[in-house]
């Protein structure tokens, strides 16, 4: 019934997310499909497979805070992928008066409210009409008062976790297809309780020691459900099973769609989508355990089909999940390994997976076959070690010097330690230190003269601070490398401070009458400015490499870099191709975060083509990236692809308590049983 299709704005996903969906007048179109196909064909496909789920994004106009709006926007993408993973499409629509009409016209069955602390009056009325006609609501983390009454759930407070492991797992009542448990590392929750007999608790929070908190995690009623924190992207497979149970509980007819998708998707494992190719790969490995698991999977798959044919949809979905898990295990055990490669993992916390116990982390990683760790030990304004240059962190105060503990444990188990340094970014910086930098005019400014909480790279005192901190680490600790992150500008909007103006005009002899307008317009001044801006970062990398290697000549300097070279030169001043050609870095870790294996391979190949012949590349694999996560078999698939493309190694993000329980054991299976050599 479309007479006109209006494209107001295409809000494209970040680079590295080709399978993302984009909102166009309330209808989702694939950006890649839109590039390749006629719009009418895309609309025909959407008509054939209608979305029955809609995610309502909170807005400032509806009364929500800016941080809620921004977080929900990212979170909605994660949710959309989770629904896609169980065979269901979902639309995303902002909360405004026009969207209320769209909801009723489209006749969505499930409305998802991701972090909507408030909904507009128009949406509140629409939701009441929708539930009256059989629709349901899934409210996540925040509860609007009108919504809470509709679904029969009463918010009673908010609790911040007393420690990292207080909210670590959700255990469900064994009913309605929910998994027995789901891992989730939440740091706070909204406390809520059922209103009378209108709803009941089906899932409860447990800590990492297996003790109940007695706080509800999931409450389900006749009109909807409430989950007490964001549905994070860890433990992805069981999270999808949890969502399937919620949808299936409310809409038994949709359970049949989920079952069909699950049964047909059991052999989409690793880098395979074809049953015969997967079987040949497993057989060719010659691994007896892989063969045993595959044969068991085939038997369970037959049981799943029989249960579906007999009308037992719940059991069919459960058995399909078991089948895919068995095929995944067989795939993991079928991997062949290279004798010489860099097997690295980032550790964002700087404490390993077990704060206060680097020995346990080092042993676990070595047993899983890793030989390098990149622990995040310092930022632009914070240090997890005994620094005399940067403020010492809460982590240091509580657990002690993290670099010395990490190095001691890593040496015992044969791991290289490359100290991960977040440059320029002042997140988590103590207030007193930040105020000092602010008074000295050392922070970045946007084109509208708005402060950006990053150090300006053109300021000589900032360059000295960053270099001195790395020299300090190199002098004090027996490490294998320095790993630079955020080695760039935050965005095209930085930096346009007055120090940049002086430094730019002095070094280029470029006259600038109107700052920053003259360097924002296309033309020679803009090109000169972008080149000069990139040089600030390049010169810093050069200085770090030279000064640290004077202290430890065998030290390796590396960097985590954007995958979209050479675009990143203009967008964020990051010319990593130049760093490699001039010998300023010893290897690079492009952040190739994507769930699309074909796109991952294309990025790796492009990077190898850009860099000097045989230059070491350890592609970054986003196992737990910010807006999505990969199942374990997908992580191992991308490791497999790096080997097929001749990379020198790989780097996985991120080593944490959660990945230690799911991801690390899976990678360990793919690497075989390693017993680290412990020196006498």
């Amino acid at each position: 019934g479309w007479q006109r299709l209006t494209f107001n704005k295409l809000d494209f996903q970040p680079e590295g997310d080709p399978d993302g969906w984009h909102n166009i007048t309330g209808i989702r179109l694939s950006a890649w499909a839109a590039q390749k196909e006629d719009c009418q064909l895309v609309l025909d496909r959407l008509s054939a497979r209608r979305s029955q789920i809609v995610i309502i994004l909170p807005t400032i106009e509806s009364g929500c805070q800016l941080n809620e709006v921004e977080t929900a926007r990212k979170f909605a993408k994660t949710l959309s992928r989770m629904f896609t993973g169980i065979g269901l499409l979902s639309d995303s629509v902002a909360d405004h008066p026009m969207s209320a009409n769209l909801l009723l016209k489209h006749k969505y069955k499930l409305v998802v409210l991701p972090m909507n602390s408030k909904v507009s009056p128009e949406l509140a009325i629409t939701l009441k009409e929708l539930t009256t006609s059989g629709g349901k609501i899934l409210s996540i983390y925040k509860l609007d008062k009108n919504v809470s009454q509709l679904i029969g759930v009463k918010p009673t407070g908010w609790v911040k976790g007393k420690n990292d492991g207080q909210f670590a797992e959700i255990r469900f009542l064994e009913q309605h297809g929910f998994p027995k448990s789901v891992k989730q590392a939440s740091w706070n929750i909204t406390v809520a309780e059922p209103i009378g007999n209108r709803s009941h608790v089906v899932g409860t929070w447990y800590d990492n020691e297996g003790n109940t908190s007695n706080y509800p995690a999931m409450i389900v009623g006749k009109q909807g459900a409430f989950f007490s924190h964001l549905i994070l992207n860890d433990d992805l497979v069981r999270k999808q099973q949890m969502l399937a149970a919620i949808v299936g509980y409310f809409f038994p007819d949709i359970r049949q769609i989920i079952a069909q998708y699950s049964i047909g998707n059991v052999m989409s494992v690793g880098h395979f989508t074809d049953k015969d190719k997967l079987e040949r790969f497993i057989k060719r490995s010659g691994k007896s355990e892989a063969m045993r698991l595959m044969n068991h999977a085939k038997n369970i798959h037959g049981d799943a089909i029989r249960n579906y044919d007999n009308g037992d949809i719940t059991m069919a979905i459960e058995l399909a999940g078991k089948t895919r898990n068995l095929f995944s295990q067989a795939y993991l055990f079928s991997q062949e390994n290279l004798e010489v490669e860099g097997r690295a993992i980032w550790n964002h916390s700087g404490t390993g997976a077990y704060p206060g116990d680097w020995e346990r982390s080092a042993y676990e990683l070595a047993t899983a076959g890793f030989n390098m760790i990149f622990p995040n030990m310092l930022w632009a304004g914070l240090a997890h070690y005994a620094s005399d240059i940067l403020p010492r962190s809460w982590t240091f105060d509580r657990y002690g010097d993290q670099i010395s503990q990490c190095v001691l444990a890593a040496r015992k188990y044969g791991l290289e330690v490359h100290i991960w340094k977040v440059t320029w970014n002042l997140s988590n910086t103590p207030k007193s230190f930040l105020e000092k930098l602010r008074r000295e005019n050392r922070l970045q400014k946007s084109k509208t003269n708005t402060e950006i909480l990053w150090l300006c790279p053109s300021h000589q005192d900032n360059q000295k601070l960053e270099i001195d901190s790395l020299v300090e680490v190199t002098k004090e600790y027996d490490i294998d490398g320095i790993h630079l992150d955020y080695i760039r500008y935050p965005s095209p909007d930085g930096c346009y401070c007055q120090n940049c103006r002086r430094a730019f005009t002095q070094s280029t002899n470029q006259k600038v009458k109107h700052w920053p307008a003259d360097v924002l317009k296309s033309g020679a001044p803009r090109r000169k400015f972008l080149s000069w801006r990139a040089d600030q970062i390049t010169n810093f990398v050069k200085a770090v490499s030279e000064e640290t290697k004077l202290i430890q000549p065998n030290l390796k300097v590396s960097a985590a870099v954007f995958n979209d070279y050479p675009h990143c030169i203009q967008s964020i001043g990051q010319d990593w191709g130049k760093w490699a050609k001039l010998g300023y870095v010893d290897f690079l870790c492009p952040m190739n975060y994507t769930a699309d294996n074909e796109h991952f391979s294309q990025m790796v190949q492009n990077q190898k083509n850009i860099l000097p012949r045989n230059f070491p590349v350890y592609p970054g694999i986003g196992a737990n990236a910010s807006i999505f996560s990969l199942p374990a078999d997908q992580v191992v698939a991308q490791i497999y692809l790096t080997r097929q493309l001749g990379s020198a190694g790989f780097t996985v993000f991120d080593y944490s308590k959660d990945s230690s329980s799911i991801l690390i054991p899976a990678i360990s299976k793919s690497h075989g049983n390693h017993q680290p050599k412990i020196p006498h």
Side-chain angles (χ1 to χ4, degrees):
W2 287 88
Q3 295 180 350
R4 180 179 62 193
L5 180 64
T6 304
F7 292 80
N8 293 324
K9 180 182 178 183
L10 281 177
D11 187 12
F12 285 99
Q13 304 273 26
E15 185 72 16
D17 185 21
D19 54 343
W21 293 89
H22 316 292
N23 299 314
I24 305 171
T25 61
I27 298 296
R28 298 192 318 165
L29 296 179
S30 163
W32 281 41
Q35 291 170 10
K36 296 177 181 178
E37 299 180 22
D38 178 84
C39 285
Q40 184 59 51
L41 178 57
V42 177
L43 290 172
D44 289 344
R45 289 184 175 183
L46 287 169
S47 298
R49 196 176 177 203
R50 187 184 183 91
S51 301
Q52 300 187 71
I53 300 169
V54 63
I55 302 169
I56 305 293
L57 300 174
T59 60
I60 294 174
E61 291 75 16
S62 65
C64 296
Q65 299 295 318
L66 178 61
N67 67 316
E68 293 173 333
V69 172
E70 292 175 343
T71 301
R73 181 184 173 87
K74 295 177 182 177
F75 173 49
K77 296 173 183 176
T78 298
L79 274 176
S80 180
R81 289 185 181 89
M82 288 183 179
F83 282 122
T84 301
I86 57 175
L88 302 177
L89 293 181
S90 60
D91 296 338
S92 295
V93 178
D95 181 359
H96 58 75
M98 287 183 64
S99 64
N101 294 329
L102 176 67
L103 298 190
L104 294 175
K105 287 181 180 179
H106 194 87
K107 296 181 180 178
Y108 290 103
K109 290 192 172 184
L110 179 66
V111 175
V112 182
L113 302 174
M115 209 172 178
N116 302 59
S117 60
K118 294 183 180 178
V119 301
S120 64
E122 295 84 1
L123 180 58
I125 294 170
T126 300
L127 290 175
K128 189 171 183 179
E129 291 183 42
L130 186 139
T131 54
T132 301
S133 61
K136 308 297 178 185
I137 300 168
L138 171 59
S139 186
I140 299 171
Y141 190 27
K142 298 295 180 75
L143 265 172
D144 171 81
K145 62 180 181 179
N146 295 302
V147 173
S148 66
Q149 284 298 316
L150 276 176
I151 63 177
V153 175
K154 177 184 177 182
T156 59
W158 181 86
V159 173
K160 182 177 181 180
K162 296 177 182 177
N163 53 64
D164 291 339
Q166 183 174 358
F167 305 117
E169 181 185 11
I170 303 148
R171 295 186 186 177
F172 290 94
L173 300 175
E174 294 185 32
Q175 57 183 4
H176 309 306
F178 282 100
K180 290 182 179 179
S181 69
V182 170
K183 300 287 186 183
Q184 170 148 319
S186 290
W187 49 94
N188 56 59
I189 62 168
T190 295
V191 183
E193 62 185 28
I195 298 176
N197 61 359
R198 295 180 56 203
S199 62
H200 62 283
V201 176
V202 298
T204 304
W205 286 104
Y206 281 71
D207 66 18
N208 56 8
E209 301 297 328
N211 303 308
T212 182
S213 68
N214 294 316
Y215 288 119
M218 177 77 75
I219 303 174
V220 176
K222 294 179 181 179
Q223 305 297 337
F226 173 68
F227 188 78
S228 63
H229 195 230
L230 297 176
I231 302 176
L232 303 179
N233 56 21
D234 47 0
D235 202 359
L236 180 62
V237 173
R238 284 188 283 186
K239 290 286 175 61
Q240 290 174 329
Q241 186 182 347
M242 179 182 78
L243 286 175
I246 295 169
V247 177
Y249 173 77
F250 289 130
F251 309 106
D253 57 320
I254 296 182
R255 289 166 61 241
Q256 189 168 353
I257 298 173
I258 296 171
Q260 290 172 349
Y261 182 85
S262 301
I263 291 172
N265 199 48
V266 294
M267 293 175 193
S268 292
V269 171
H271 61 289
F272 292 107
T273 56
D274 181 89
K275 170 183 177 292
D276 294 334
K277 289 181 180 179
L278 174 61
E279 285 195 32
R280 284 198 297 271
F281 179 81
I282 294 170
K283 290 176 180 177
R284 195 163 53 242
S285 74
K287 306 286 181 64
S288 59
E289 182 63 8
M291 289 292 295
R292 184 189 70 79
L293 289 164
M294 181 182 72
N295 291 330
H296 188 28
K298 291 165 74 173
N299 291 333
I300 300 293
H301 189 223
D303 292 340
I305 294 171
R306 281 187 288 275
N307 275 274
Y308 179 83
D309 291 340
N310 293 332
D312 192 344
I313 304 301
T314 300
M315 181 56 68
I317 294 173
E318 182 179 337
L319 291 175
K322 289 182 179 179
T323 302
R324 192 187 184 284
N325 180 59
L326 287 166
F327 273 121
S328 296
Q329 297 296 314
Y331 175 80
L332 297 178
F333 279 110
S334 300
Q335 301 298 313
E336 296 292 336
N337 298 304
L338 299 180
E339 290 296 323
V340 180
E341 66 177 347
R343 299 174 182 173
I345 192 163
W346 282 293
N347 168 235
H348 189 267
S349 68
T351 60
Y354 312 98
D357 193 354
W358 263 108
E359 168 112 1
R360 183 180 176 187
S361 291
Y363 175 80
E364 182 173 85
L365 291 174
T367 303
F370 287 95
N371 52 31
M372 304 169 73
I373 184 165
F374 302 163
N376 182 195
M377 295 299 188
L378 64 162
W379 293 59
L382 200 68
H384 296 330
Y385 63 95
S387 177
D388 293 325
I389 295 171
L390 297 173
R392 300 177 186 183
S393 68
W394 173 89
T395 298
F396 172 82
D397 292 338
R398 181 166 183 178
Y399 298 111
D401 190 319
Q402 293 304 289
I403 297 184
S404 62
Q405 293 173 30
C406 175
V407 169
L408 182 64
R411 290 289 173 264
K412 184 175 179 180
Y413 297 108
L415 292 172
E416 289 187 12
V417 178
H418 295 250
I419 298 301
W420 172 3
K421 162 77 161 103
V422 173
T423 60
W424 316 122
N425 190 322
L426 291 167
S427 298
N428 305 320
T429 301
K431 187 176 181 180
S432 58
F433 191 68
L434 182 61
E435 287 299 328
K436 174 180 179 295
L437 297 170
R438 183 177 283 126
R439 287 195 302 271
E440 295 171 359
N441 296 315
R442 293 167 61 176
L443 274 60
Q444 291 193 33
K445 294 291 182 70
S446 73
K447 60 189 176 186
T448 58
N449 203 39
T450 302
E451 180 182 274
I452 302 172
L453 291 179
W454 285 44
L455 293 172
C456 173
S458 73
H459 198 296
Q460 293 304 305
D461 289 342
N462 291 340
Q463 291 248 354
K464 185 176 186 305
L465 175 68
E466 295 282 55
I467 293 169
D468 285 353
S469 66
L470 290 168
V471 167
E472 177 185 51
V473 168
T474 310
K475 282 181 178 179
E476 296 298 324
Y477 303 96
D478 177 24
I479 58 177
D480 299 282
I482 293 293
H483 183 67
L484 302 173
D485 191 16
Y486 285 78
I487 186 66
R488 57 181 176 83
Y489 286 82
S491 71
D493 200 27
C495 172
Y496 297 95
C497 71
Q498 289 302 312
N499 188 77
C500 281
R501 179 180 188 173
R502 287 191 297 271
F504 170 65
T505 55
Q506 289 172 7
S507 63
T508 63
N509 294 319
Q510 176 72 45
K511 293 183 179 180
V512 180
K513 185 177 181 181
H514 302 101
W515 179 266
D518 290 353
V519 296
L520 288 170
K521 293 180 288 188
S522 60
R526 177 65 176 169
R527 290 192 295 273
K528 274 190 179 183
F529 176 74
L530 291 176
S531 177
W532 171 84
R533 190 177 72 143
D535 285 344
Q536 305 311 300
I537 305 298
T538 297
N539 293 338
F540 172 74
V541 175
K542 178 176 185 286
V544 167
S545 181
E546 291 175 347
E547 296 200 29
T548 56
K549 289 186 178 186
L550 284 175
I551 303 163
Q552 293 193 42
N554 294 325
L555 193 81
K556 294 178 181 178
V557 175
S558 63
V561 296
F562 275 33
N563 59 54
D564 59 341
Y565 192 89
H567 176 70
C568 57
I569 302 174
Q570 284 74 43
S571 62
I572 54 171
Q574 190 180 77
D575 193 351
W576 50 260
K578 186 175 185 178
W579 308 344
K581 289 171 185 174
L582 295 178
Y584 300 160
V585 289
D586 298 285
F587 64 89
L588 289 170
C589 304
M591 295 177 285
N592 296 341
Y593 301 161
T594 177
D596 186 310
N597 290 335
E598 182 179 352
H599 187 231
F600 179 84
S601 295
Q602 290 171 349
M603 287 190 286
V604 174
Q605 188 59 62
N606 289 341
Q607 289 148 7
K608 288 175 65 63
N609 292 341
I610 289 165
L611 293 164
R613 185 178 176 82
N614 297 324
F615 183 86
V617 181
Y618 300 169
I621 299 171
N624 298 106
S626 58
I627 59 173
F628 71 93
S629 65
L630 298 175
D633 63 288
Q634 282 292 93
V635 175
V636 172
Q638 294 188 3
I639 291 173
Y640 170 86
L641 293 171
T642 64
R643 292 168 177 162
Q644 295 299 302
L645 292 165
S647 295
F650 59 85
T651 315
V652 177
F653 183 89
D654 163 50
Y655 182 51
S656 65
K657 183 65 169 64
D658 297 320
S659 62
S660 72
S661 63
I662 298 171
L663 179 62
I664 301 305
I667 293 176
S668 180
K669 290 173 184 175
S670 72
H671 285 159
N673 185 25
H674 282 258
Q675 289 300 322
K677 295 179 180 179
I678 303 175
H680 295 292

